[in-house]
Amino acid sequence: QAQLVESGGGLVQAGGSLRLSCAASGRTFSVYGMGWFRQASGKERELVAAISWAGDRTYYADSVKGRFTMSRGNDKNTVYQQMNGLEPEDTAVYYCAASRRTDPPRSPNDVNAWGKGTLVTVSS
């Protein structure tokens, strides 16, 4: 069964850094775009960053541009998100997602596989 497993969340002070990882198993995700979404308490799930199947195209939400960097491992079945300059507003559950296509996902409607999420808490 296809599975996405996130790791790397935790508690960090404002201005700190975290690196999220997502490992895919069960089927190959290497030909699909991948994304990181997040959902804060009481808010809708939103796209944070996304990457194409080849890793040559990326997309970032305006709120994280210049602070977050998404990348793919050489095997293309692992994706990462380096998060620097974290702010309390970044506090959320972060979900790894696989697109239905080779393009980066741009909304939850583009996703056909989700991880269970990892909690990121940024204290002020």
Side-chain angles (χ1 to χ4, degrees):
Q1 185 173 355
Q3 191 174 17
L4 299 173
V5 179
E6 305 96 336
S7 62
L11 173 64
V12 65
Q13 289 188 331
S17 298
L18 285 173
R19 188 186 193 218
L20 304 183
S21 299
C22 172
S25 63
R27 70 173 172 93
T28 182
F29 286 91
S30 62
V31 295
Y32 297 102
M34 301 287 290
W36 286 99
F37 289 73
R38 69 185 180 188
Q39 187 165 18
S41 180
K43 295 187 177 181
E44 293 186 353
R45 191 170 297 190
E46 63 175 355
L47 178 66
V48 175
I51 194 166
S52 62
W53 75 275
D56 58 344
R57 287 177 291 138
T58 52
Y59 165 85
Y60 297 97
D62 287 342
S63 59
V64 306
K65 279 181 182 176
R67 300 188 297 122
F68 290 12
T69 302
M70 185 173 183
S71 59
R72 295 189 84 129
N74 289 335
D75 64 356
K76 303 276 191 299
N77 276 318
T78 306
V79 293
Y80 307 95
Q81 178 159 273
Q82 178 67 39
M83 306 187 296
N84 298 327
L86 283 162
E87 304 168 351
E89 293 75 21
D90 296 316
T91 295
V93 177
Y94 284 72
Y95 296 91
C96 179
S99 174
R100 304 176 187 278
R101 305 172 299 174
T102 60
D103 295 330
R106 298 299 294 269
S107 79
N109 291 333
D110 294 334
V111 175
N112 71 348
W114 293 96
K116 292 184 177 180
T118 184
L119 177 62
V120 171
T121 304
V122 184
S123 63
S124 57

